[in-house]
Amino acid sequence: MEISLEGKVALVTGAGPNIGSGIALALARYGAKVACNDIDPAAAKTAVDRIERNGGTAIAVPGDVTDEEQVTGYIARVLEEFGQIDILVNNAALLGGKGVLDESTEFFDRAVRVAALGHFLNTKHVGRHMAERGIRGSIVAISSSNGWSGSAGVIAYAFHKGGVNNFVRAAAMDLAPYGIRVNSFTPTAPTPDNPELIKERGAGGVLDRPRAHGIGGETGDEEWRRPSRWTGQRAPLVPMGTTGTPTDIGHCVAWMCSDYARLITGCDFVVDGGARAKNFAYAPAPASDLAGPLPLIPLDVTGELDRELA
C-alpha cells in the first residue's frame, strides 16, 4: 500500500514547530500542497521553509483561528493560490495552564475559545467549500490524551480537548452525506524531532525530562495544599517505552487523509506506544529493558543538520 496525497491541498492550523510542523511536513512528503497557518507569522513561515527544504510545496497563511474574518481570509488565500482544499487539520490550541484551583478566567476563556472557535470556524468554512464543490475531503482534529483521561494541572486544556472529541463525532454526522470524513488523532507527549526545535531546546521530550507539575504551571503555597501528582523518580509508564514523535503522528494523519481511509469517519486514532490503553495499575518495565518499536521512517531528510543533532 503506497499512500499518495498527490493532487490534494491541505490546510494545517497551528503549524508551530512541534506537532503542527510535523503533520504539515508529512502531508507534503506524501504529495499534498500545504497551507501552514499559525497566529505567529514567523512560525507559519518556518513550517513552510521546512517543507520546501524537503522538496514540498507550501505557503504561509497566518491568522487568528478565533476571528471569523481572518479565517475566511486565509481560506480565500489558499483557494486563490491552490484552487481547492481537500484536507483540513485543526491543530491550533493553547497548551499548559493551571489546575482548577489556580487557573485564571482570562487563560481559561482564551484556551477554550482557541479550540472551540478554531475547530468550528475552520470546519464550517472549509466544510462548506468541500460540500459546494463536491470534494469528498478529510478533516482531522488533533485531540490529546488529556481529552480522554484526567491529569492534574491543566483544567482548561482538559476541558477543550474533551470537547474536541465529541465535536468530531457530531461534525462527522453533519458532513457524512457529502462524503466528507471527520476524525481525530490523539497524541501523547511526543518527543520533538524537528531539527530546529531540537537545536533550540535540546534533544528529548517530557518522558526524558519530566516536569514536577506536568504540563501545567505552579500551584499555590497555602498551608492547606496537598500534592496532586507524584514528583519522585519513576520510569515513564509506556508499554513500548516511547510515545513516538511528530513524524509518527504525521505518517498516521497522512494515511487518515488518503483514499485508503474512505469509509473511516467519527473515529479517533492513537499512536502512543500503548500509553492510553494501559490499565492504571499496570507498571511497564523500564524503556531500557524493552525491545522498542521498529526504526522510525524519517520524513525530514534535510541531511547533515539532522545527523549533527541526533
Side-chain angles (χ1 to χ4, degrees):
M1 183 170 64
E2 193 162 318
I3 299 169
S4 174
L5 301 178
E6 289 290 340
K8 297 184 185 294
V9 175
L11 168 61
V12 179
T13 71
N18 197 25
I19 293 176
S21 175
I23 291 173
L25 175 63
L27 297 176
R29 288 295 311 277
Y30 281 104
K33 296 177 180 176
V34 183
C36 299
N37 158 267
D38 200 278
I39 195 169
D40 178 3
K45 177 62 165 57
T46 298
V48 170
D49 291 343
R50 187 184 185 196
I51 289 171
E52 291 180 341
R53 284 199 307 270
N54 284 277
T57 301
I59 60 170
V61 287
D64 185 343
V65 297
T66 70
D67 185 319
E68 188 162 17
E69 185 174 347
Q70 291 189 46
V71 171
T72 56
Y74 64 66
I75 288 174
R77 169 81 174 91
V78 180
L79 298 179
E80 177 186 2
E81 183 72 21
F82 294 142
Q84 65 194 61
I85 300 176
D86 306 274
I87 296 166
L88 167 65
V89 179
N90 286 308
N91 179 62
L94 291 186
L95 182 63
K98 296 181 179 180
V100 70
L101 298 178
D102 300 287
E103 189 56 87
S104 69
T105 301
E106 293 75 19
F107 182 88
F108 190 96
D109 180 70
R110 177 61 181 166
V112 172
R113 281 176 60 84
V114 168
L117 288 177
H119 281 76
F120 167 65
L121 291 174
N122 283 277
T123 301
K124 174 183 178 178
H125 290 291
V126 172
R128 289 183 66 89
H129 160 76
M130 291 175 175
E132 289 169 2
R133 292 159 180 78
I135 296 172
R136 286 171 286 187
S138 173
I139 297 174
V140 178
I142 304 303
S143 182
S144 167
S145 53
N146 285 279
W148 299 96
S149 57
S151 181
V154 286
I155 195 66
Y157 190 67
F159 183 88
H160 68 69
K161 287 300 186 183
V164 163
N165 296 336
N166 214 38
F167 175 88
V168 163
R169 291 185 283 259
M173 298 303 100
D174 284 335
L175 297 178
Y178 304 96
I180 300 168
R181 302 180 297 105
V182 187
N183 295 290
S184 61
F185 181 94
T186 295
T188 302
T191 299
D193 60 3
N194 183 339
E196 293 170 325
L197 192 58
I198 293 172
K199 185 175 182 179
E200 175 188 333
R201 302 182 185 177
V206 296
L207 297 185
D208 309 287
R209 301 192 300 270
R211 307 165 188 167
H213 296 279
I215 61 174
E218 297 285 331
T219 60
D221 58 2
E222 297 95 338
E223 62 179 16
W224 48 263
R225 292 279 183 165
R226 294 180 180 274
S228 59
R229 64 172 65 238
W230 171 263
T231 57
Q233 291 295 315
R234 182 176 60 188
L237 303 180
V238 181
M240 291 187 74
T242 176
T243 55
T245 69
T247 294
D248 294 291
I249 296 171
H251 285 304
C252 183
V253 171
W255 180 83
M256 291 166 66
C257 294
S258 76
D259 295 344
Y260 287 106
R262 70 188 190 100
L263 287 176
I264 297 175
T265 195
C267 296
D268 180 65
F269 289 76
V270 187
V271 176
D272 67 358
R276 193 173 102 187
K278 182 182 69 64
N279 181 277
F280 80 98
Y282 168 55
S288 59
D289 293 338
L290 304 175
L294 290 167
L296 180 69
I297 299 173
L299 290 172
D300 195 323
V301 293
T302 51
E304 294 300 321
L305 179 61
D306 306 73
R307 287 193 284 274
E308 290 170 5
L309 297 173

